[in-house]
């Protein structure tokens, strides 16, 4: 082959070029693939950092704190999927020491995460009783120096707020009874500082709430449901045995409902009475007369104008009348029939101004109908010109029309009539 042929010679490419193994072919493309895998989001069939149960429980705030402590190197090691990092840290992305550090940070950031048990509840109640006793002693020792007992009073108020956590464990309510804390709470209703009494009412309202007791029972076992029901019943029984209704009436008598906080306190007190009725109707109906609740309700319904507490009082009064003949008799003795007629007379020529006032009017008519089931009250209804008032309402044909007709029906349905 001469020089000219040598310069123009081109070898066969299929023969000259050898195929390289897959591992040696285009290392640059393999590097790009690795980079793409690290940047792409997790997909099905691919392990993610959230597959680790410890890392899945750690909130981002704790992880940020961990990276701040250990520096940028720790942060990159924590999230890196590189094999060398996993080997260096035990194959899990983070070593055991780092996991314990993060879990400790989570626990410190969420102190309420741990559930209450009998031991913690007993300690809480013991500390509460001691602070109440200390406040009582300081008030007796320094009656004219509020600065001396102010700190102990604040401690009692703070503990009352902490006791709201007990509403999450109704099955532990018997500890309240066994530790005599129920009596302590009832004694606070007559505390000289009305803020302490209002905080106690707020606590009892939440502890006796039937919705709290029944919360989550669909997912729990029947045994847990029974424990919660027994716990709630023990608290209700202890309150009733402690003459709680008398304490409630005494506290409501001193509250000024023109003040928003006091008005809320009266509303929450009536809420407690309603909760007690749901658990022990017969006992509440009997004690309502003995401990002055019926008298307070009749007086509250007599007040002029409309407000939320008057509406709530009419609801409680209707409940007590519907479930007890004795309460109907007492209503007549308290001149309650005449008071109901006076309260209803305002709707003779006008309709209620709101849906809530319409509900109030309905409750008052309901109380009157129930009261007429007692024979002596029908005579009081006649003496108070009740039939004439009902006839005027029928003539006006306002919202009270159907309810006035119902009252006349109750008055005439009995053998002796009205």
């Amino acid at each position: 082959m001469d020089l000219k042929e040598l310069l123009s010679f081109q070898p066969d490419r299929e023969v000259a070029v050898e195929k390289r193994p897959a591992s040696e072919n285009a290392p640059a493309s393999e590097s790009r693939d690795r980079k793409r895998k690290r940047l792409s989001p997790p997909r099905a069939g691919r392990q993610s950092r959230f597959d680790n149960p410890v890392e899945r429980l750690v909130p981002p705030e704790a992880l940020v704190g961990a990276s701040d402590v250990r520096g940028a190197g720790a942060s990159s090691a924590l999230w890196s999927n590189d094999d060398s990092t996993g080997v260096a840290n035990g194959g899990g992305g983070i070593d055991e020491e780092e996991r314990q550090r993060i879990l400790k940070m989570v626990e410190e950031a969420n102190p309420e995460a741990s559930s209450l048990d009998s031991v913690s509840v007993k300690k809480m109640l013991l500390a509460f009783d001691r602070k109440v006793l200390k406040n009582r002693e300081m008030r007796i020792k320094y009656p004219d120096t509020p600065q001396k007992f102010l700190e102990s009073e604040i401690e009692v108020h703070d503990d009352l707020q902490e006791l709201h956590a007990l509403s999450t464990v109704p099955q532990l309510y018997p500890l309240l009874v066994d530790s005599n804390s129920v009596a302590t709470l009832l004694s606070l209703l007559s505390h000289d500082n009305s803020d302490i009494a209002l905080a106690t009412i707020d606590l009892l309202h939440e502890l006796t709430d039937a919705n709290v007791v029944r919360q989550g029972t669909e997912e729990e076992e029947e045994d847990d449901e029974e424990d919660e029901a027994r716990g709630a019943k023990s608290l209700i029984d202890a309150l009733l045995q402690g003459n709680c209704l008398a304490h409630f009436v005494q506290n409501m008598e001193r509250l000024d409902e023109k003040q928003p906080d006091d008005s809320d306190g009266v509303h929450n007190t009536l809420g407690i009475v309603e909760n007690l009725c749901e658990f022990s109707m017969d006992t509440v109906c009997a004690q309502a007369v003995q401990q002055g609740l019926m008298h307070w309700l009749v007086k509250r319904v007599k007040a002029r104008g409309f407000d939320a507490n008057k509406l709530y009082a009419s609801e409680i009064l209707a409940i007590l009348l519907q479930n007890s003949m004795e309460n109907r008799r007492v209503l007549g003795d308290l001149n309650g029939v005449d008071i109901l007629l006076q309260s209803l007379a305002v709707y003779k020529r006008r309709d209620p101004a709101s849906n809530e006032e319409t509900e109030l009017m309905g409750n008052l008519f309901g109380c009157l109908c129930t009261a007429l089931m007692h024979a002596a009250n029908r005579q009081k209804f006649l003496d108070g010109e009740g039939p004439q008032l009902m006839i005027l309402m029928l003539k006006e044909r306002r919202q009270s029309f159907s309810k006035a007709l119902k009252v006349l029906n109750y008055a005439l349905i009995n053998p002796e009539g009205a």
Side-chain angles (χ1 to χ4, degrees):
M1 181 181 296
D2 57 6
L3 182 60
K4 185 177 179 180
E5 292 176 344
L6 183 62
L7 293 175
S8 61
F9 174 76
Q10 294 182 357
D12 188 1
R13 292 183 179 181
E14 295 182 1
V15 176
V17 179
E18 296 180 3
K19 287 188 177 181
R20 297 181 179 180
S23 60
E24 300 177 5
N25 191 25
S29 63
E30 180 181 357
S31 177
R32 286 193 298 271
D33 290 340
R34 287 183 179 178
K35 232 181 245 186
R36 191 179 299 113
K37 286 181 180 180
R38 285 199 299 268
L39 295 175
S40 61
R43 292 188 296 270
R46 175 183 168 194
Q47 186 177 9
S48 155
R49 63 182 174 87
F50 296 103
D51 293 337
N52 189 316
V54 174
E55 295 176 4
R56 186 169 57 248
L57 292 173
V58 178
E61 296 83 356
L63 295 173
V64 171
S67 62
D68 292 340
V69 173
R70 293 177 63 90
S75 178
S76 60
L78 182 64
W79 299 109
S80 175
N81 287 332
D82 188 74
D83 293 341
S84 61
T85 304
V87 172
N89 291 331
I94 56 176
D95 58 16
E96 186 64 25
E97 181 182 356
E98 185 67 20
R99 294 186 193 205
Q100 295 300 327
R101 182 195 299 269
I102 293 174
L103 289 175
K104 183 178 180 180
M105 293 175 65
V106 173
E107 292 176 358
E108 292 176 353
N110 300 278
E112 298 180 358
S114 58
S115 59
L116 291 173
D117 55 15
S118 59
V119 176
S120 59
V121 170
K122 287 179 181 179
K123 291 181 179 179
M124 185 185 302
L125 295 176
L126 181 60
F128 170 68
D129 288 339
R130 286 176 177 173
K131 291 176 182 178
V132 171
L133 180 60
K134 177 184 176 182
N135 175 248
R136 191 175 299 156
E137 293 174 348
M138 295 296 288
R139 272 188 166 272
I140 295 174
K141 190 174 182 179
Y142 307 102
D144 300 324
T145 313
Q147 295 81 1
K148 296 287 186 179
F149 56 77
L150 179 60
E151 183 178 354
S152 63
E153 217 140 281
I154 294 175
E155 291 178 352
V156 172
H157 189 276
D158 291 343
D159 273 24
L160 285 170
Q161 303 304 318
E162 293 179 2
L163 288 175
H164 281 263
L166 292 178
S167 62
T168 62
V169 284
Q171 64 273 16
L172 297 181
Y173 282 2
L175 296 177
L176 272 168
V177 180
D178 297 339
S179 62
N180 203 35
S181 295
V182 173
T184 303
L185 291 173
L186 291 177
S187 68
L188 291 178
L189 295 178
S190 57
H191 197 281
D192 292 336
N193 187 342
S194 61
D195 290 338
I196 298 293
L198 293 176
T200 305
I201 287 293
D202 190 33
L203 172 62
L204 291 175
H205 184 232
E206 184 169 358
L207 293 179
T208 58
D209 190 353
N211 293 326
V212 171
V213 174
R214 296 166 187 165
Q215 183 177 2
T217 54
E218 293 182 0
E219 294 83 6
E220 296 171 350
E221 298 294 336
E222 293 184 1
D223 292 343
D224 294 336
E225 296 179 23
E226 293 177 358
D227 290 342
E228 291 187 356
R230 283 194 296 267
K233 189 65 168 59
S234 66
L235 175 60
I236 299 299
D237 292 342
L239 288 172
L240 293 174
Q241 291 172 8
N243 297 326
C244 64
L245 297 184
H247 290 281
F248 295 158
V249 172
Q250 181 183 4
N251 185 51
M252 289 189 293
E253 289 283 359
R254 67 170 180 162
L255 295 178
D256 181 10
E257 294 190 51
K258 294 179 182 179
Q259 304 297 325
D261 290 342
D262 288 7
S263 179
D264 291 342
V266 172
H267 195 274
N268 288 337
T269 303
L270 295 175
I272 298 173
V273 175
E274 184 179 18
N275 295 336
L276 296 177
C277 289
E278 291 194 30
F279 285 96
S280 189
M281 177 65 74
D282 294 339
T283 306
V284 174
C285 287
Q287 293 188 1
V289 175
Q290 302 166 3
Q291 300 178 23
L293 180 61
M294 277 290 298
H295 184 271
W296 186 91
L297 291 173
V298 172
K299 185 174 67 173
R300 187 63 183 84
V301 166
K302 184 181 179 180
R304 292 188 177 184
F306 170 79
D307 58 78
N309 287 343
K310 182 176 180 179
L311 170 60
Y312 212 166
S314 68
E315 292 179 6
I316 302 300
L317 182 60
I319 292 173
L320 296 178
L321 292 175
Q322 288 171 6
N323 291 276
S324 172
M325 181 62 74
E326 177 64 15
N327 288 341
R328 298 168 199 163
R329 183 194 64 79
V330 172
L331 178 72
D333 295 342
L334 294 172
N335 199 29
V337 174
D338 192 56
I339 290 174
L340 291 173
L341 290 174
Q342 292 176 20
S343 300
L344 288 170
V346 298
Y347 303 111
K348 177 177 59 178
R349 301 189 187 280
R350 75 170 181 88
D351 289 332
S354 63
N355 293 333
E356 290 78 12
E357 191 174 359
T358 301
E359 186 178 354
L360 169 65
M361 183 184 71
N363 291 337
L364 295 176
F365 271 112
C367 290
L368 185 56
C369 290
T370 309
L372 291 176
M373 297 175 68
H374 183 62
N377 290 338
R378 289 194 289 275
Q379 183 60 44
K380 291 180 173 62
F381 177 71
L382 184 61
D383 296 340
E385 299 183 350
Q388 291 86 334
L389 177 62
M390 299 301 114
I391 291 173
L392 285 174
M393 290 181 173
L394 293 177
K395 290 180 178 179
E396 291 293 331
R397 290 187 173 275
R398 296 185 177 274
Q399 290 186 19
S400 59
F401 178 88
S402 61
K403 300 185 185 305
L405 189 61
K406 184 178 179 180
V407 170
L408 291 175
N409 180 53
Y410 269 81
L412 298 171
I413 200 171
N414 296 279
E416 62 273 21

